[in-house]
Amino acid sequence: MTEILLIMFTAVLVENFVFTRFLGICPFLGVSEKPDTALGMGFAVVFVMTLASAATNLIYNLILVPFELKYLKTIAFILVIASLVQLIEMFLRKYVPALYGALGIYLPLITTNCAVLGAALLSVESDYNFIKSVAFGFSAAVGFTLAIVIFAGVRERVAVANPPRSFEGIPIALVTAGLIAMAFSGFSSINLGI
């Protein structure tokens, strides 16, 4: 149990996918202008990444490894992730149309979100069992959600701060993201007793 908690803590804070691994930057910058939209995107990523981690672990260990098809893991994982995103897109379109409209093009982009694929590939690379893989996928997605919501809150404040003209828009967003990433790097110095 301690090992699972360490995996989860590390995935959320120490090795945050956005601020440390630089995965999922496209939706991080694209959907982070309003905290409610960022939170909706974060929930969708949590759902997809958790299910994708579970499904890809099973597919890898029950199909690809026994049949010596490990070299197909990237293609297989992309197909699983694409299927899950399609299910979420259909669900949101029918039951939460406001969130579906707010996410716009970024919802289908979860299919190619490198954070989701990265979680699946890192689970396999780390040789996690099913439980550890699901815990890692869920925690990495929570870390992504934390990062995007914090960034959305900061971007809202920066939007009314009147930065210099040359920094308006994406430049100030990137500087802000860099500062938040530096703050998150402080978690790497925590001694976990490993």
Side-chain angles (χ1 to χ4, degrees):
M1 184 64 175
T2 304
E3 190 176 351
I4 291 173
L5 290 174
L6 287 174
I7 289 170
M8 294 176 78
F9 178 80
T10 301
V12 172
L13 296 174
V14 178
E15 294 180 6
N16 185 286
F17 269 41
V18 174
F19 295 131
T20 304
R21 296 185 185 267
F22 306 110
L23 296 173
I25 299 297
C26 178
F28 175 73
L29 291 173
V31 187
S32 61
E33 290 182 4
K34 296 180 182 175
D36 54 338
T37 307
L39 191 61
M41 177 65 155
F43 285 147
V45 169
V46 167
F47 185 72
V48 170
M49 200 179 290
T50 304
L51 287 179
S53 294
T56 54
N57 181 280
L58 292 173
I59 288 170
Y60 184 77
N61 290 314
L62 298 177
I63 298 173
L64 299 179
V65 171
F67 292 105
E68 298 181 9
L69 298 171
K70 289 191 256 185
Y71 60 91
L72 292 176
K73 68 183 173 199
T74 304
I75 294 170
F77 292 179
I78 289 172
L79 290 173
V80 168
I81 293 165
S83 301
L84 288 171
V85 169
Q86 286 299 314
L87 290 173
I88 291 198
E89 190 173 1
M90 289 186 300
F91 175 82
L92 289 179
R93 186 181 311 146
K94 184 168 184 161
Y95 296 109
V96 192
L99 180 58
Y100 175 78
L103 292 175
I105 187 67
Y106 294 100
L107 186 60
L109 285 178
I110 293 176
T111 302
T112 57
N113 185 343
C114 56
V116 180
L117 181 59
L121 292 172
L122 286 169
S123 289
V124 168
E125 184 179 298
S126 300
D127 200 28
Y128 288 152
N129 62 24
F130 181 77
I131 300 297
K132 289 178 185 176
S133 180
V134 172
F136 176 73
F138 173 77
S139 302
V142 168
F144 175 85
T145 303
L146 178 68
I148 198 169
V149 169
I150 288 172
F151 189 60
V154 171
R155 275 184 88 172
E156 246 184 9
R157 300 278 313 252
V158 168
V160 296
N162 195 17
R165 187 175 173 99
S166 61
F167 278 94
E168 288 178 357
I170 294 296
I172 194 70
L174 292 174
V175 169
T176 305
L179 292 172
I180 296 170
M182 285 176 29
F184 263 74
S185 71
F187 289 113
S188 65
S189 65
I190 295 175
N191 184 359
L192 299 174
I194 300 173

